[in-house]
Amino acid sequence: MFDAILRFSVKKKLFVGLTTLFLLIGGIYSMLTLPIDAVPDITNNQVQIVTVSPTLAPQEVEQLITMPVEIAMSNIMNVTEIRSVSRFGLSVVTVVFKESVPTLDARQLVNEQIQSVAGEIPSELGMPEMMPITTGLGEIYQYVLKVEPGYEDKYDAMELRTIQDWIVKRQLSGIPGIVEINSFGGYLKQYEVAVDPDVLFSLNITIGEVFEALNKNNQNTGGSYIEKVNRAYYIRSEGMISRIKDVEQIVVANRNGIPIRISDIGTVRFGAPKRFGAMTMDGKGECVGGIAMMLKGANANVVTGELEKRVEKIQKILPEGVTIEPYLNRSELVNRNISTVIYNLIPILQGTNNHYQNIDKLPRIYPAVEYARTKDGEHRVKIYNGLVQIEVNHLTGSTEVEQIKQQVSLLPQTFAAFCGSSGRSVKIWVLIATP
């Protein structure tokens, strides 16, 4: 068989050469496109359903939201596990599928059940939604918006959060392999109407009338069109609120022919919802940042590369004095891991470090090694770039084992030494630069 392969290779030199070339090209292509990550993602095939209901206690969340969703999900095929968490204002149901079920098929099955169970949950209590297709290891790029010296008074926490939500987040969306950009820190800007209860009581106006007036006066409407000769004029009514003064001029009620406006019953200002946390960095106070979430199964190196290119473009359109400063980049961790593998693998392939040496070849600066030399057992040493493994076998008794372990414990902390024993054998590992 082997002779036949050799004869065929000698006779068909062109075929063998082309085949080798194609294999080489395919290997290089596979090497360049191989998904490499710093840590393996062992997350199972799951879909999470989240329902936010800020007004409900955990008992009501469990009874009114979690239980109906769980019952609906139990009718799905190829489900291995259903678990849930009910907290104040939050319901999370996790549906775990078999690994053979495609992710998109699993989400489609879950979505069908969500549509059916939505009618059982009152609309004012919240709407169940599926979480993005990502995992706990999907946080591949984290950054903060940094204010340059001299611009601290120009950008406060609310202004930075507005820049993050309306510029940075929108520009980072749409990158292949990114499913979501999460914002953190700062104050979420909103228009706030602080009504005076005494004024409402004196004018006989309820808070419900204020809500209704604000809803009705914040929308655009269409009025069809008017034909005139050979032209058509389209009618459009603009009523969207764009500034504080627009809110102040909204009419809430009419008393004796006099309109009662929002400005008559309260104060309109910029505000922010109650926060449950904050983001700080380097002990310098609050900051604003974001996290890019990667699609499950995507190539972290490729996705972070696209993110870096997009960030360079965004830097040019940011307001003066504001820059994006990344503090976690998955590609940097992957590259360091690859460098570590290469650094340790090449000497082993060269045969320089994958062998045993006599203990006398090591310098006598290692106290643990020197102590091991005084024992009557068999001594062997294995060296791996900075890691010395000392094996002391066939000791006469447990006393010598304990003496060696005690000697290792006396080493300076810079040696990072630790010891393990089994019967009459002892292994000592010393993390230190080898000669």
Side-chain angles (χ1 to χ4, degrees):
M1 179 65 181
F2 186 71
D3 294 339
I5 295 175
L6 289 178
R7 285 195 297 269
F8 177 82
S9 302
V10 172
K11 292 180 180 179
K12 306 291 184 181
K13 298 182 180 65
L14 180 61
F15 175 79
V16 173
L18 291 176
T19 303
T20 304
L21 179 62
F22 288 142
L23 289 176
L24 178 62
I25 295 174
I28 295 175
Y29 174 79
S30 299
M31 180 184 66
L32 296 176
T33 59
L34 180 68
I36 301 176
D37 210 334
V39 289
D41 192 345
I42 59 174
T43 307
N44 50 20
N45 189 13
Q46 62 177 237
V47 179
Q48 286 189 320
I49 304 102
V50 176
T51 309
V52 179
S53 183
T55 60
L56 294 184
Q59 294 85 347
E60 283 73 30
V61 170
E62 176 73 20
Q63 179 182 0
L64 301 176
I65 299 177
T66 304
M67 282 299 296
V69 174
E70 280 189 348
I71 294 173
M73 297 304 147
S74 62
N75 298 323
I76 302 177
M77 298 177 58
N78 297 321
V79 173
T80 61
E81 181 184 5
I82 299 177
R83 58 179 184 269
S84 64
V85 176
S86 298
R87 295 182 178 177
F88 181 83
L90 179 66
S91 168
V92 180
V93 179
T94 303
V95 183
V96 181
F97 288 83
K98 296 180 179 178
E99 295 297 331
S100 58
V101 180
T103 302
L104 296 181
D105 291 350
R107 293 177 66 86
Q108 177 62 30
L109 294 172
V110 171
N111 184 59
E112 293 175 358
Q113 296 301 320
I114 288 178
Q115 301 304 321
S116 64
V117 77
E120 302 179 18
I121 301 175
S123 58
E124 63 271 12
L125 298 184
M127 177 63 67
E129 298 178 350
M130 288 187 293
M131 293 289 286
I133 311 176
T134 186
T135 65
L137 294 175
E139 301 178 1
I140 62 171
Y141 195 86
Q142 301 183 21
Y143 61 90
V144 295
L145 297 184
K146 185 177 180 181
V147 180
E148 298 178 357
Y151 293 88
E152 293 85 357
D153 297 334
K154 186 176 180 181
Y155 303 103
D156 57 8
M158 180 178 290
E159 188 65 26
L160 288 176
R161 179 58 183 263
T162 303
I163 295 173
Q164 159 63 20
D165 289 339
W166 291 90
I167 299 179
V168 180
K169 181 176 180 179
R170 291 170 179 260
Q171 292 294 327
L172 289 178
S173 300
I175 297 176
I178 295 296
V179 296
E180 189 178 33
I181 304 294
N182 294 325
S183 300
F184 290 91
Y187 293 89
L188 185 62
K189 187 176 182 179
Q190 65 181 16
Y191 291 93
E192 184 177 279
V193 179
V195 297
D196 188 336
D198 295 331
V199 176
L200 289 180
F201 180 76
S202 63
L203 295 174
N204 194 23
I205 298 175
T206 63
I207 193 68
E209 292 177 307
V210 178
F211 276 112
E212 185 179 0
L214 291 172
N215 287 328
K216 288 183 176 181
N217 289 272
N218 187 28
Q219 58 184 348
N220 294 339
T221 59
S224 188
Y225 62 93
I226 298 176
E227 292 184 1
K228 188 173 183 180
V229 192
N230 59 343
R231 296 183 180 180
Y233 296 89
Y234 290 90
I235 302 172
R236 178 170 174 261
S237 173
E238 296 184 358
M240 294 293 294
I241 294 173
S242 59
R243 51 183 180 171
I244 289 180
K245 188 176 180 180
D246 295 338
V247 182
E248 294 175 340
Q249 297 301 315
I250 293 177
V251 176
V252 179
N254 192 297
R255 294 292 183 266
N256 300 322
I258 301 175
I260 307 299
R261 297 180 173 86
I262 293 292
S263 58
D264 299 325
I265 62 174
T267 304
V268 183
R269 62 196 178 192
F270 289 122
K274 294 297 181 182
R275 301 192 303 170
F276 295 95
M279 182 178 184
T280 63
M281 187 174 183
D282 297 334
K284 298 179 181 179
E286 288 197 42
C287 62
V288 176
I291 299 178
M293 303 298 296
M294 182 182 69
L295 177 69
K296 180 182 178 182
N299 191 331
N301 256 347
V302 175
V303 176
T304 50
E306 295 296 326
L307 272 169
E308 291 172 350
K309 294 178 182 178
R310 185 68 63 86
V311 168
E312 291 180 3
K313 296 180 180 179
I314 299 174
Q315 299 277 24
K316 301 176 182 178
I317 64 175
L318 286 176
E320 184 180 4
V322 179
T323 58
I324 299 175
E325 180 179 322
Y327 62 90
L328 187 148
N329 191 333
R330 180 72 63 82
S331 62
E332 296 178 0
L333 179 59
V334 172
N335 292 336
R336 286 199 298 268
N337 286 348
I338 293 175
S339 300
T340 302
V341 172
I342 294 175
Y343 176 78
N344 289 280
L345 183 61
I346 289 179
I348 293 175
L349 295 177
Q350 293 175 346
T352 59
N353 282 337
N354 192 21
H355 65 278
Y356 284 90
Q357 298 181 1
N358 188 280
I359 200 167
D360 293 327
K361 294 183 179 180
L362 288 177
R364 299 190 176 187
I365 60 174
Y366 304 149
V369 175
E370 286 297 299
Y371 188 80
R373 293 182 73 249
T374 65
K375 300 293 129 185
D376 296 330
E378 178 183 358
H379 315 100
R380 300 180 74 85
V381 175
K382 194 175 183 181
I383 310 172
Y384 288 108
N385 289 328
L387 178 65
V388 180
Q389 177 182 305
I390 308 169
E391 296 184 13
V392 185
N393 301 318
H394 309 299
L395 294 172
T396 57
S398 60
T399 303
E400 291 186 350
V401 173
E402 294 300 325
Q403 289 176 346
I404 292 178
K405 294 172 68 174
Q406 182 179 6
Q407 185 68 21
V408 172
S409 66
L410 297 177
L411 286 175
Q413 294 183 354
T414 55
F415 279 68
F418 54 99
C419 182
S421 61
S422 176
R424 293 191 301 158
S425 300
V426 176
K427 283 189 178 181
I428 306 170
W429 292 271
V430 183
L431 188 61
I432 189 173
T434 58

